Amino acid sequence: MTTTDMMKLVYVVVITIVLFFGLTFTYMNSQTVEVKYLTFHKETNLAALLLFTLVTGMVAGYVISVVSSLKSRRKVKRGASEPGRL
């Protein structure tokens, strides 16, 4: 078995495990919950709400990371053009 075959097998096993946990989590948390925030009012599935919260947090973290990275690059670029200012 080659290295690429082993990696494919590892990917398949990991994806299978993640899908198993995702499906069982959804099944075990399928009750409806009520979300209220100021004037917003919605009933939704608990698993869907948790997934939405996870994705929102991941997107927010990614955006903050990109903004921070762009600021650092700009500072380094400015410092490279003006040697005494870093």
Side-chain angles (χ1 to χ4, degrees):
M1 198 175 235
T2 65
T3 305
T4 54
D5 290 339
M6 285 297 290
M7 289 304 295
K8 286 180 184 178
L9 180 63
V10 168
Y11 288 142
V12 168
V13 169
V14 168
I15 288 171
T16 303
I17 291 171
V18 168
L19 283 174
F20 173 76
F21 280 111
L23 290 173
T24 55
F25 180 82
T26 302
Y27 176 74
M28 299 297 290
N29 293 292
S30 61
Q31 65 266 26
T32 302
V33 293
E34 187 177 1
V35 179
K36 293 180 184 179
Y37 183 72
L38 299 176
T39 61
F40 179 77
H41 180 282
K42 174 97 174 142
E43 285 191 16
T44 187
N45 184 333
L46 178 60
L49 178 64
L50 292 174
L51 178 64
F52 173 76
T53 305
L54 172 70
V55 170
T56 302
M58 290 173 64
V59 168
Y62 178 76
V63 168
I64 291 170
S65 172
V66 167
V67 168
S68 175
S69 176
L70 290 174
K71 283 182 179 180
S72 295
R73 285 183 186 176
R74 199 175 308 142
K75 187 182 281 188
V76 168
K77 213 178 223 184
R78 224 181 301 140
S81 65
E82 300 173 19
R85 209 174 158 225
L86 195 72

